[in-house]
Amino acid sequence: MSSYGNTHTDILVAGAVAALSIDLLVYPLDTIKTRVQAPNYARLYTHPQTGAVQRSLFRGLYQGIGSVVLATVPSSGAFFTTYEATKSLLHSLNHTLSPNEFQSPLIPTPLLHATASSLAEAVSCLILTPAEVLKQNAQIIKKSPSSPSGPIFDTSATRAAWKKFQHPRQLWRGYTALLGRNLPFVALQFPVFEVIKGSLLEYKERELSKQDRVRREKEREVLRDWRREQGKGFKDEDRDRDGDGWEGREVKVGMADRAMATGMAAAISGSMAAVVTTPVDVVKTRIMLAAGEDAGAPFSGGNGEAAKTSLRAEKRKSVRVLEAEKAMRKIRSMGAWAVGRQILAEEGIGGLFRGGGLRGAWTALGSGLYLSVYESGRQYLEERRAGEDD
């Protein structure tokens, strides 16, 4: 990230606005990805005879959004505050411990960024895990087609997911799995992100400097021609008549260009890291879905006739439901490594990368917009405060 004169409040506000905006935008894709990665995906979302995808896969795409909205502000604020503080501290230590400014830093910059982002993610995941567990269990609750549609941000699925947990500590069962996915993700993404963004900004600065030199040279030619017509020479003081000089004037990349560079860097690095870490994401999804009781059990979403209709429908599908519950109970007693080996044995390498393409696509979109909004927000808040001070 760029070094602005931001306060902790700036970082918190910019991170929260970016996270909330992008969560609302890409949440439907995340819901589909969770359902595709669920162990009972084929039983719940495909036709038993033809294997065709059923419409239920695309129903209730905002189920569970409430818990994420509540956790986004503190978790994103904790991440960026910790990341910026740790990165600044490590940069200072690097400068202090390096023999001199002409030698390579003691800690390589990519390792510094990976360390800062990993520590920030560990803090953020501690806050985010309960919301993530609730969210993913709510995402796979299958509503009856006859149940009322309700508002787009209906909380009934979240309430139903909450009832699956007998004790609050179950909500943190997926912390190690979430951390196991996010640590390698951010450790891969942020060093690559910083390198790509830095290269793009340097290129843009060179282009702006080149354009500025051309423009100022044209102005210089106009002034030279005017003085020649007036019978005057071109004086040295004319080079500095505006206080900046003709050469070497510093140019600054604008907010829009910086946001574009940040978004491109985040999209490229994020999609790459997302695809690479998909196996860990699949394992995390299975563990979190198994954390609740009767995970994947259908939900009527209403009362009266709608509920009765749902119950009758579920009696006809009791075998499929029992199989889903059996799979969840089995995962509940296993560790992350054992779950991964089970997926590999039963579903092959394709099972570990299930939803990888979708995860890469929505991460490119979400991460690109997320970090560009965050970076622009920081720059805007810093410049506004600087203007008020002036």
Side-chain angles (χ1 to χ4, degrees):
M1 307 288 178
S2 299
S3 299
Y4 302 127
N6 292 113
T7 64
H8 290 303
T9 302
D10 288 347
I11 294 173
L12 177 62
V13 170
V17 170
L20 284 172
S21 302
I22 307 313
D23 277 345
L24 294 176
L25 180 63
V26 303
Y27 193 85
L29 296 177
D30 181 59
T31 298
I32 296 173
K33 184 222 48 155
T34 297
R35 292 172 178 176
V36 168
Q37 291 181 345
N40 50 8
Y41 162 73
R43 289 186 290 270
L44 291 179
Y45 302 109
T46 62
H47 192 277
Q49 276 77 43
T50 64
V53 174
Q54 296 181 332
R55 292 183 179 180
S56 56
L57 177 65
F58 307 102
R59 187 179 293 121
L61 294 180
Y62 278 93
Q63 288 178 192
I65 187 68
S67 61
V68 174
V69 170
L70 291 176
T72 286
V73 174
S75 64
S76 62
F79 176 86
F80 284 113
T81 301
T82 306
Y83 177 73
E84 297 293 347
T86 305
K87 188 175 72 169
S88 177
L89 175 63
L90 292 177
H91 272 302
S92 299
L93 288 175
N94 223 11
H95 179 73
T96 303
L97 298 175
S98 296
N100 60 69
E101 60 180 338
F102 300 105
Q103 293 186 0
S104 300
L106 187 65
I107 306 174
T109 301
L111 179 60
L112 186 150
H113 291 149
T115 302
S117 60
S118 297
L119 180 60
E121 192 62 36
V123 175
S124 177
C125 284
L126 192 62
I127 302 170
L128 188 62
T129 297
E132 186 76 8
V133 171
L134 266 180
K135 177 199 79 173
Q136 293 206 306
N137 277 272
Q139 284 175 327
I140 66 163
I141 288 178
K142 188 177 180 183
K143 289 188 176 183
S144 168
S146 58
S147 64
S149 59
I152 189 170
F153 300 124
D154 186 11
T155 60
S156 58
T158 302
R159 294 197 302 270
W162 173 260
K163 293 178 182 178
K164 296 179 182 180
F165 299 91
Q166 298 177 345
H167 196 282
R169 68 171 176 269
Q170 288 179 279
L171 293 172
W172 272 274
R173 185 176 183 268
Y175 174 73
T176 54
L178 182 63
L179 196 62
R181 180 200 69 176
N182 287 6
L183 281 184
F185 176 83
V186 297
L188 284 171
Q189 182 190 21
F190 274 84
V192 176
F193 163 75
E194 296 283 3
V195 170
I196 296 176
K197 191 191 78 169
S199 299
L200 291 174
L201 289 178
E202 286 178 6
Y203 172 78
K204 189 61 181 179
E205 286 175 357
R206 288 196 302 269
E207 288 297 306
L208 290 175
S209 296
K210 182 179 178 181
Q211 294 171 11
D212 186 66
R213 285 195 302 270
V214 171
R215 181 184 63 82
R216 295 173 71 82
E217 185 60 36
K218 288 181 179 179
E219 293 177 354
R220 185 177 178 180
E221 290 294 333
V222 170
L223 182 58
R224 181 184 291 113
D225 292 341
W226 179 81
R227 285 195 170 277
R228 187 180 297 115
E229 291 175 359
Q230 299 297 319
K232 301 177 181 180
F234 188 73
K235 300 179 180 179
D236 290 337
E237 56 263 28
D238 289 327
R239 297 177 181 273
D240 302 306
R241 72 191 191 289
D242 59 0
D244 290 328
W246 290 98
E247 304 293 341
R249 193 176 74 152
E250 182 180 358
V251 295
K252 184 177 181 181
V253 178
M255 188 182 299
D257 290 328
R258 183 174 291 278
M260 184 175 294
T262 301
M264 290 178 62
I268 295 170
S269 60
S271 59
M272 180 202 70
V275 172
V276 171
T277 58
T278 295
V280 192
D281 184 56
V282 173
V283 171
K284 185 270 304 180
T285 298
R286 301 288 177 93
I287 291 175
M288 285 191 167
L289 293 181
E293 297 297 325
D294 301 324
F299 172 60
S300 66
N303 297 313
E305 289 302 318
K308 293 178 182 178
T309 302
S310 176
L311 288 174
R312 287 195 296 269
E314 290 317 308
K315 287 180 180 179
R316 293 194 296 270
K317 295 188 291 186
S318 59
V319 174
R320 301 175 77 188
V321 173
L322 288 173
E323 289 177 352
E325 292 178 354
K326 182 180 178 181
M328 291 297 186
R329 283 195 297 270
K330 185 177 180 181
I331 292 175
R332 222 171 276 148
S333 62
M334 301 166 65
W337 184 254
V339 172
R341 287 191 301 175
Q342 180 196 45
I343 296 171
L344 183 61
E346 296 180 357
E347 305 174 38
I349 193 69
L352 287 173
F353 280 92
R354 183 188 292 182
L358 183 61
R359 172 171 156 79
W362 78 256
T363 300
L365 174 63
S367 188
L369 292 174
Y370 179 36
L371 289 178
S372 63
V373 171
Y374 167 72
E375 191 87 346
S376 300
R378 288 182 59 204
Q379 185 175 0
Y380 169 75
L381 291 171
E382 194 275 334
E383 290 179 352
R384 188 183 68 169
R385 187 173 55 256
E388 291 174 353
D389 293 342
D390 293 341

